Amino acid sequence: MKAGDGTLIRLTLSGGALVASTAAASCFLAVWSYWYYELDADCVQARDCKCLLFGTSFAGGSFVGGDRFACQYVAYSLLASAGLAVYTGVYYGCRLLLCSGHSRGRKQHHRPVRTVAETRPGDGTSSRTSPQIQINGLTLCLIIILAVVASNMFIASIVLSNGYISTCLQYVHRVKSYLMVSGNMVELITNRMSCGTIYDFMDYLQPPSRQVTYELIHRHKTNPRDSVINTSALLIISIVLSWLNTLIWIAFTFCTYYFK
């Protein structure tokens, strides 16, 4: 494969990573800002429960969010991924569009090859050549950065996915109290209702906190809960794009290693 083809592939991967990480961050931040004040209203002072992920239901009927650090980690990971995608996109775009013209008049340099002796039964000893991959210091640093970003996005995707499921399993208890079910209805809600349906109950039936409403009015701000969003759909989009972003960075790392 030609060097220009490798650059074009990495430029395409940079664009894909930028789109995936930006869209995932936008969907996640929209959900986080929507529930930011609401889920912290009934939280104890020693904790910071401003994250929708890893929420907890209590026997008294209250529901609080998880630790804000989980949402911060996911959001910053997606934003850092978008920032690196911009950098690599500009770098490889410049290399493809601007630097390719300067290399036309230069003498083409070939990678050093090594000769490997190969013995065939019919015609004695012959030789064949195989490419020898050489990595300079700058490329090695880029590979390490890409590997770190891919690993970090893998962890962030796990946190986002597990947080989505954990909140869903906890809010089932709130749905049971809303519907005041008994008998087989309890098993129906517990085992058959999807997380999308559970989050729909949260969007429409989770009562806005009066304390939060008064505080926002005092600050001359509107309560995001005045409108209804589709929490489940936004989180699922963010999860899918986050995993896609992880795969893109893994592919980017291998392409940077194999293509000079």
Side-chain angles (χ1 to χ4, degrees), residues 9 17 22 29 39 45 53 73 77 94 105 144 148 196 219 227 232:
I9 291 175
T22 303
L29 290 176
L39 299 179
Q45 294 182 355
L53 306 177
Y73 175 70
S77 297
C94 175
I144 294 175
V148 170
R219 299 177 186 177
S227 59
S232 178

Side-chain angles (χ1 to χ4, degrees), residues 54-58 63 165-174:
F54 303 102
T56 305
S57 292
F58 293 99
F63 182 83
I165 296 174
S166 176
T167 299
C168 170
L169 296 178
Q170 285 292 315
Y171 205 78
V172 167
H173 304 294
R174 293 286 290 157

